[in-house]
Amino acid sequence: MAMKLCFHTLIAKGFCCFCGADLTQPLVPEPQTQEDPFEYKKLTLFVDLDHTLIHSTRHKDLKSGKSVVRTSIRPHCIRFLESMSKLYEMHVITLAGKGYAQKIVKELDPEERFFGGRLIARNKLGSTDCKTKKLRKLFPSGLKYTAIIDDRWDVWDYMDNVVQVRMYECYWRPGDPGKPKEDDVLLHMERVLTEVHQRFYSNYETSGEFLDLKAIIGEYRRSVLKSVRVVLSGREQMEEDKKTAVTDALTIFGAELQATVTSDTTVVIEMAEDKKIRTQAEGAGVPVVGLHWLRAVTDQWKRVDFDGFMLGATVPVEEKIVEF
């Protein structure tokens, strides 16, 4: 009997823990049925908690004197999970403690519609700074059909299937004056991961090939600033770690770095004021933007228009610099 296709990633003793497929037998594709994962068109998505979906802070309760934890949910989180649950089988993978993680998941997914109880916390990962060591044992079939969303790339050994998001922090509490800053990151990640899903199945339907999501996500990332030629001005005045973060981000998203402004330079990013380079850029008609343009690019995973990010001669550069 031909073995049905199985693209789940959690396996025990040669059998899929979700559909029961016997993965010890040779794979012989058979026509799609309702039990075939391609009928449902779902891939796998590993989801981080802290600083990706939520931010928790510890406070001292003024009345009781006890330490309490307050958790802020990232804007658009539930919409994101609702949308992704239709395209991916989602697992929470977190370096947080199991008890804390279970409470957060219960808050986000009380009816288990999104994660279905699929949670791997620090106790199973066996590490406080790496998520890949034990996962290779827990998911022996590999992560070819798995996407990952996390605010940290390093804990995944910089694998190409990681969709890194800006760290979410929120210290605003109900009753505080004003409102927390708006954060649209998860709306953009919804678009990115929907596109990743579409590319995977579109390729399968046209070629019959199962592409590794590392290839799809890696190519997606590099295409964002492909053919964009960038000059960084004022880099000599910046701290080494910040220079590295900026140059790495540009390279990862496919930009080409140039040492000086030329006729084919696309944009100048001003890390600190450099009047000489700004004059060269203005003479060549090259836009000059602040680091907030690059942050918008990395937040949205798309090439953002320069309008709204331009640095005019009357605008101090420090007003346009953001932490990157």
Side-chain angles (χ1 to χ4, degrees):
M1 180 181 293
M3 188 183 94
K4 66 182 180 181
L5 288 171
C6 172
F7 289 90
H8 295 117
T9 48
L10 188 57
I11 299 168
K13 297 183 179 180
F15 290 86
C16 175
C17 295
F18 296 103
C19 67
D22 182 356
L23 302 180
T24 63
Q25 302 299 316
L27 176 61
V28 182
E30 63 181 11
Q32 291 188 3
T33 67
Q34 284 192 332
E35 294 181 332
D36 193 321
F38 276 85
E39 180 74 18
Y40 300 105
K41 290 192 173 181
K42 278 196 174 184
L43 297 169
T44 301
L45 178 63
F46 289 170
V47 183
D48 176 53
L49 291 178
D50 287 287
H51 298 298
T52 298
L53 298 185
I54 57 99
H55 178 219
S56 294
T57 54
R58 188 175 293 276
H59 301 272
K60 185 176 182 180
D61 186 86
L62 297 179
K63 292 183 178 180
S64 66
K66 295 181 179 180
S67 179
V68 296
V69 174
R70 290 189 174 90
T71 298
S72 298
I73 299 175
R74 193 169 205 154
H76 314 294
C77 177
I78 303 304
R79 166 180 164 162
F80 172 79
L81 295 177
E82 187 80 54
S83 177
M84 292 300 98
S85 68
K86 299 172 184 176
L87 306 177
Y88 295 88
E89 182 178 81
M90 295 190 292
H91 302 243
V92 171
I93 311 290
T94 176
L95 291 172
K98 181 179 179 181
Y100 163 80
Q102 287 176 327
K103 290 180 180 179
I104 297 298
V105 171
K106 183 68 174 177
E107 182 69 25
L108 296 176
D109 188 19
E111 299 177 359
E112 297 190 352
R113 294 186 301 119
F114 305 141
F115 301 113
R118 295 179 292 272
L119 165 65
I120 296 178
R122 184 172 59 219
N123 63 312
K124 287 188 178 180
L125 292 173
S127 174
T128 59
D129 59 4
C130 181
K131 294 184 176 180
T132 59
K133 295 177 183 177
K134 289 289 185 70
L135 278 184
R136 293 190 176 99
K137 294 182 179 179
L138 294 170
F139 297 87
S141 65
L143 305 178
K144 289 184 64 176
Y145 310 113
T146 300
I148 301 164
I149 182 168
D150 203 314
D151 68 290
R152 291 181 60 184
W153 201 0
D154 59 315
V155 298
W156 294 102
D157 293 332
Y158 299 98
M159 295 192 303
D160 261 347
N161 53 335
V162 176
V163 176
Q164 186 182 16
V165 297
R166 174 164 46 88
M167 176 186 291
Y168 175 62
E169 292 183 305
C170 181
Y171 296 96
W172 180 87
R173 294 176 293 171
D176 287 349
K179 294 182 179 181
K181 290 183 179 180
E182 182 59 22
D183 183 310
D184 291 335
V185 167
L186 290 181
L187 293 181
H188 299 301
M189 294 305 100
E190 177 186 341
R191 169 181 50 80
V192 170
L193 287 166
T194 298
E195 175 67 15
V196 167
H197 181 276
Q198 189 277 328
R199 291 186 187 186
F200 178 88
Y201 283 103
S202 177
N203 180 79
Y204 169 72
E205 290 165 359
T206 56
S207 70
E209 295 181 5
F210 308 128
L211 287 180
D212 191 325
L213 288 190
K214 294 184 184 71
I216 294 176
I217 295 173
E219 175 58 29
Y220 192 140
R221 184 187 292 109
R222 290 185 292 272
S223 70
V224 171
L225 294 179
K226 185 177 181 180
S227 301
V228 175
R229 299 176 178 86
V230 179
V231 171
L232 293 174
S233 69
R235 58 189 301 176
E236 297 80 8
Q237 305 173 45
M238 305 304 295
E239 297 176 356
E240 195 62 36
D241 58 344
K242 190 164 188 175
K243 283 193 291 186
T244 300
V246 171
T247 55
D248 284 353
L250 287 166
T251 303
I252 288 165
F253 280 90
E256 177 186 334
L257 294 176
Q258 295 182 319
T260 58
V261 177
T262 67
S263 59
D264 64 352
T265 299
T266 308
V267 64
V268 170
I269 299 178
E270 199 162 274
M271 300 180 67
E273 189 168 11
D274 187 318
K275 293 182 179 179
K276 180 180 178 181
I277 291 183
R278 186 183 287 196
T279 300
Q280 291 174 348
E282 290 173 351
V286 175
V288 181
V289 299
L291 282 175
H292 58 326
W293 175 80
L294 181 56
R295 175 161 155 174
V297 169
T298 58
D299 276 357
Q300 299 180 38
W301 277 51
K302 71 176 183 180
R303 179 174 171 176
V304 179
D305 290 339
F306 301 130
D307 295 342
F309 299 93
M310 304 278 286
L311 298 184
T314 59
V315 181
V317 67
E318 57 269 18
E319 293 184 8
K320 292 293 188 179
I321 293 292
V322 296
E323 287 301 317
F324 189 82

